[in-house]
Amino acid sequence: MSVYADDAAGIVAELQELAILLVEDDPGDAALVAELVGDAAGLRMHWVRSIADAGEYLTSQVPDCVLLDLHLPDAQGIQALARIHFHTDVAVVVMTGLDEERTGLAAVAAGAQDYLVKGRVEPELFGRSVRYAVQRKQAERATVALQASQMRAQENARLERGLLPTPLLPTGSAVEVISRYRPGRDHALLGGDFYDVVQDHAGLVHAVIGDVSGHGPDAAATGVALRLAWRTLLLSGIVGMRQLQLLERVLLAERADRQTFATATTVVLDPVARTAWVRRAGHPGLLVHSGEELHWLEVPGGPALGFLPEHAQWPSHELPLPIGTSLMLLTDGLFEGCVNADKDRLGEQGLLELARGMINPAPERFVDDLITRVEDLAGSAGGLEDDLAILYLRCRPEAS
């Protein structure tokens, strides 16, 4: 913002009418304050005689500033300030006597924005003090909000590292992996999308992509737990049906409520045999990309994790991968977004048609262009409603 814009904002703040609540039990002092308010431009005042009356007033009204006497029939000193803060978070200016300047300083240290000495305040100083107190309170709120936003961003970054790790592949792996993630409309609420890729000692590449229902820290934490559990199970040699059964047990133990579920697709890819084995637990299908051909594939699968505990079955589907064939695993955020003001959804078929019009021999370019196009469509309808994650897997041509 320019200096001139800052000056303009200050002028607007100076001209804005401010509502003041005076908490004062002495009618004489209240009359003096009323005169100061009358002489200072842009101020209006409501007077109450006690903290109890102030609390009742504040249940239905929100003033810009509270002028608070520290000697009231139902509260004294800093206790009076604490009780006002209990009722409201607006600016507070305390009123002290001639011999109570230290009390005023103590009140400022306890959270008041300023203090004024009764009988020693001119109208101009009075109005300026009230406005500065309101501005300081606004700056304080902005600082607190910024700190909270920064902390939330740091927490989200840590959760994202748990949800979206670096694939565990050796240098020169026979399988190329492209991973992408985009947050939804409200970046403050991280979703439960997760993925991981690991190559085992036999050269098989294992991948998982999943989505925990809901948003926020609970969904993200559950997604992190599932992703870590998947990698731990894999490194322990547990794969296939047993792996999904144990992942479901982890979900049941970690979920915040009984309604939480998770979808997942696991893939075991053999780059030498050029074959993949796919298991689907309530998760969307995948895009199969071969040369100029692109089609949507939903292999037979079972329910989402958490739907039928101890009873679900997730069959394995064998999928040949001729040279040049790639698999793109994704979460539903890529096709569930709205594409126009009428709130029409893109859908799986819409995503397929969109992708067919953007086929590019360079996999990274294809993935990035597809995400950009989906984001552009969602932008016209208010932005992505959900997070989206993508895993693009391709056997390198030289693999044998």
Side-chain angles (χ1 to χ4, degrees):
M1 181 179 292
S2 70
V3 174
Y4 299 109
D6 288 337
D7 290 344
I11 292 171
V12 170
E14 287 291 330
L15 296 176
Q16 180 184 3
E17 184 180 61
L18 298 181
I20 296 174
L21 173 64
L22 172 64
V23 188
E24 170 63 74
D25 66 322
D26 187 303
D29 287 340
L32 290 175
V33 173
E35 288 184 14
L36 292 171
V37 169
D39 291 338
L43 302 180
R44 54 186 172 84
M45 186 187 85
H46 180 82
W47 172 37
V48 297
R49 296 170 179 263
S50 67
I51 292 293
D53 291 342
E56 183 176 350
Y57 177 83
L58 291 169
T59 58
S60 59
Q61 303 292 327
V62 182
D64 296 292
C65 182
V66 174
L67 290 178
L68 176 65
D69 178 33
L70 294 180
H71 297 286
L72 297 166
D74 55 352
Q76 296 287 315
I78 301 302
Q79 180 194 28
L81 177 63
R83 290 182 62 182
I84 287 293
H85 279 157
F86 175 79
H87 290 292
T88 186
D89 186 39
V90 301
V92 178
V93 176
V94 299
M95 307 288 288
T96 68
L98 290 172
D99 58 346
E100 295 178 317
E101 188 168 354
R102 295 178 66 180
T103 302
L105 291 171
V108 171
Q113 274 61 56
D114 202 353
Y115 74 95
L116 296 173
V117 180
K118 295 178 182 179
R120 298 181 60 183
V121 183
E122 298 296 328
E124 183 179 352
L125 174 61
F126 175 80
R128 185 178 302 168
S129 178
V130 169
R131 292 188 181 279
Y132 283 180
V134 171
Q135 291 172 7
R136 280 194 291 272
K137 188 63 180 180
Q138 291 172 344
E140 176 187 311
R141 289 187 188 131
T143 299
V144 170
L146 177 60
Q147 291 174 341
S149 176
Q150 290 172 338
M151 290 182 63
R152 186 163 54 242
Q154 291 169 356
E155 292 168 359
N156 281 357
R158 286 193 292 271
L159 284 170
E160 281 188 25
R161 286 196 296 271
L163 290 165
L164 317 168
T166 301
L168 189 58
L169 296 171
T171 302
S173 172
V175 175
E176 179 183 6
V177 177
I178 299 168
S179 58
R180 295 290 187 269
Y181 169 79
R182 293 291 188 277
R185 180 180 300 165
D186 189 347
H187 294 200
L189 290 178
L190 192 66
D193 291 15
F194 64 94
Y195 59 70
D196 202 354
V197 181
V198 174
Q199 182 170 316
D200 66 19
H201 66 279
L204 299 180
V205 173
H206 303 255
V208 64
I209 191 166
D211 186 1
V212 179
S213 60
H215 291 85
D218 287 338
T222 302
V224 171
L226 291 174
R227 204 280 301 169
L228 289 172
W230 178 85
R231 182 175 283 201
T232 301
L233 290 168
L234 177 59
L235 295 177
S236 301
I238 299 174
V239 296
M241 266 285 295
R242 183 58 177 163
Q243 184 185 81
L244 287 174
Q245 289 170 344
L246 293 176
L247 282 181
E248 185 170 60
R249 288 191 183 181
V250 171
L251 171 70
L252 298 177
E254 296 292 334
R255 65 185 180 180
D257 59 70
R258 294 175 62 87
Q259 285 71 47
T260 299
F261 64 91
T263 66
T265 291
T266 64
V267 173
V268 181
L269 195 153
D270 185 339
V272 176
R274 294 195 174 275
T275 302
W277 293 267
V278 182
R279 292 181 190 269
R280 194 168 63 92
H283 201 73
L286 59 152
L287 286 171
V288 180
H289 184 190
S290 180
E292 295 298 316
E293 296 295 324
L294 193 66
H295 67 275
W296 180 262
L297 176 66
E298 287 193 8
V299 303
L305 305 178
F307 272 11
L308 295 173
E310 306 297 333
H311 298 290
Q313 296 290 317
W314 300 283
S316 176
H317 179 84
E318 184 174 344
L319 183 65
L321 299 177
I323 293 177
T325 300
S326 305
L327 306 179
M328 193 170 94
L329 315 181
L330 50 93
T331 57
D332 60 8
L334 193 62
F335 59 79
E336 281 296 313
C338 299
V339 295
N340 54 41
D342 294 330
K343 301 300 182 181
D344 293 326
R345 302 278 177 176
L346 178 61
E348 294 96 323
Q349 187 60 37
L351 175 65
L352 177 60
E353 293 173 3
L354 190 65
R356 281 176 172 167
M358 308 182 71
I359 291 178
N360 191 298
E364 289 203 28
R365 181 68 180 273
F366 167 67
V367 172
D368 290 336
D369 286 350
L370 180 58
I371 293 175
T372 298
R373 183 62 179 133
V374 169
E375 289 178 324
D376 288 345
L377 288 172
S380 65
L384 289 172
E385 294 184 359
D386 198 1
D387 299 353
L388 65 86
I390 290 176
L391 273 182
Y392 189 97
L393 308 174
R394 182 179 74 153
C395 294
R396 298 185 189 277
E398 62 271 18
S400 59

